[in-house]
Amino acid sequence: QEFKKGMPLVDGHGNFGSIEGDGAAAMRYTEARLQKVTQEVFLADLDKDVVDFMPNFDETEKEPTVLPVRLPNFLVNGSDGIAVGMVTSTPPHNLGEVIDAVKAYMKNDKLTTADLMQYIQGPDFPTGGIVTNKDELLNIYETGSGKIKLRGRVEVEQDKGGKLRLVITEIPYTMIGANIGKFISDVVELIESKKATDIVDISNASDKNGIRIVLELKKGADVEKLTNMLYKKTRLEDTFGVNMLAIADGRPEVMGLKSIIKYNVDFQYEITTRKYTTMLNKALEQKEIKEGLIRATNIIDLIIEIIRGSQQLKQAKECLVNGNTEGIKFKNPESELLAANLNFTEKQAQAILD
């Protein structure tokens, strides 16, 4: 769901629910594939032994213990969940900002959290909204826990008759789902209890282009007072609890921004090292075989004579590797002397015989 994730990883076709809390269609009415970014960022180089594999639940196949993710998805998409006596709640961040911060850390790992926050200035919620306690962000990103105060964005519009209306175009991230309906019913309650007499009507004009909740006002209404009342009495101002708990080196740990980026960079270093080690070993193996084949072409007549004179393949291989000519019929004695000096490696001998 695009309104929940900073960078959705699955590309769905069909109805997957809405920001207002409508449920998704049954599985048989939808289909899904991976987003292009998922294939490039999460699954690249899986065939190059970059991560360890373990048996799956019934031990019929092997699965990676961890995916070789190229960026700190923990920061980009955020994370929330409850485990045994632990809870994690990480807000989503802007992809470009996160990558800039990672690059800066790679160039200089002495950077402080405050330095990294020149790149990542705060969370980037897909629903927008305004962070009101920016002065507390540094402490939240240093310790990995705290509370972010969020407000919806309220704009004032005026119609031709001079009447004003308040339009909410962005909402706090915590308002996703049933809380939009709750907000509207809270405003209706304020009107009915005569606490907000200046509001004439409220309507939800949100569509696929985004959120648009419209509050029609009386002429001469006090906009500022009304806006502050909405922040105070409804979910238009809300708190997002941050607790950046992740599994680091097999142990749960609440981590600050710098720590998360450090673990990510170390992981990148590890998977890149493993990738190039695998590629180098493959290239060296190819080199060994090709050197053997080049040597074999220079003495091809002798090799054909060994193969023809052998009873079994095993005899020919033994001769190529160790120079053992026992049981091989040679047409001339010179060949036998030459064959006794052969010393191909196992892999080279197999490639020649193949």
Side-chain angles (χ1 to χ4, degrees), residues 286-297:
Q286 287 291 315
K287 177 174 177 268
E288 181 187 327
I289 288 169
K290 284 184 173 134
E291 280 174 350
L293 292 174
I294 289 166
R295 226 177 103 199
T297 50

Side-chain angles (χ1 to χ4, degrees), residues 48-259:
K48 294 189 176 72
D49 188 39
V50 286
V51 290
D52 295 332
F53 277 71
M54 65 178 185
N56 68 341
F57 65 100
D58 62 353
E59 300 200 357
T60 53
E61 290 182 72
K62 284 203 174 326
E63 61 183 17
T65 52
V66 62
L67 291 178
V69 190
R70 287 296 177 83
L71 51 87
N73 180 58
F74 185 60
L75 285 176
V76 175
N77 269 333
S79 176
D80 60 277
I82 300 170
V84 248
M86 292 171 231
V87 61
T88 180
S89 174
T90 306
H93 294 81
N94 182 283
L95 174 64
E97 290 178 5
V98 169
I99 289 173
D100 288 344
V102 170
K103 280 160 70 176
Y105 176 83
M106 282 170 147
K107 285 175 186 159
N108 177 13
D109 61 5
K110 301 283 185 289
L111 290 178
T112 63
T113 305
D115 296 332
L116 291 168
M117 282 186 70
Q118 289 178 350
Y119 303 96
I120 301 174
Q121 287 166 18
D124 183 13
F125 295 105
T127 52
I130 303 156
V131 175
T132 56
N133 60 335
K134 283 189 178 153
D135 50 338
E136 290 174 39
L137 284 178
L138 177 59
N139 184 45
I140 291 171
Y141 280 120
E142 253 175 356
T143 58
S145 63
K147 286 181 176 169
I148 294 175
K149 283 190 182 138
L150 282 172
R151 273 184 178 180
R153 190 177 292 279
V154 181
E155 291 170 3
V156 182
E157 291 179 5
Q158 191 169 13
D159 64 12
K160 286 172 186 170
K163 272 188 179 175
L164 295 178
R165 60 168 82 97
L166 291 181
V167 180
I168 296 157
T169 53
E170 293 176 13
I171 57 170
Y173 191 58
T174 49
M175 223 166 106
I176 289 175
N179 285 329
I180 294 181
K182 172 91 170 68
F183 166 72
I184 292 171
S185 62
D186 284 350
V187 174
V188 170
E189 217 170 277
L190 286 174
I191 299 167
E192 285 172 352
S193 63
K194 305 276 192 287
K195 283 180 184 163
T197 48
D198 285 345
I199 302 173
V200 178
D201 188 24
I202 179 166
S203 60
N204 188 355
S206 306
D207 56 15
K208 64 175 187 288
N209 300 320
I211 290 287
R212 185 177 164 84
I213 299 168
V214 183
L215 282 77
E216 304 281 352
L217 306 181
K218 284 180 183 168
K219 252 187 178 173
D222 187 339
V223 172
E224 201 172 319
K225 186 183 165 195
L226 258 180
T227 310
N228 287 332
M229 183 191 281
L230 290 175
Y231 286 143
K232 203 171 177 185
K233 304 270 186 191
T234 70
R235 297 288 290 268
L236 196 60
E237 180 175 276
D238 211 350
T239 307
F240 182 91
V242 176
N243 191 43
M244 298 201 277
L245 180 106
I247 307 289
D249 292 333
R251 293 179 57 225
E253 195 182 314
V254 177
M255 290 190 280
L257 182 65
K258 183 176 177 179
S259 196

Side-chain angles (χ1 to χ4, degrees), residues 12-17 25 29-31:
H13 184 81
N15 171 19
F16 285 90
Y29 300 119
T30 60
E31 53 187 5

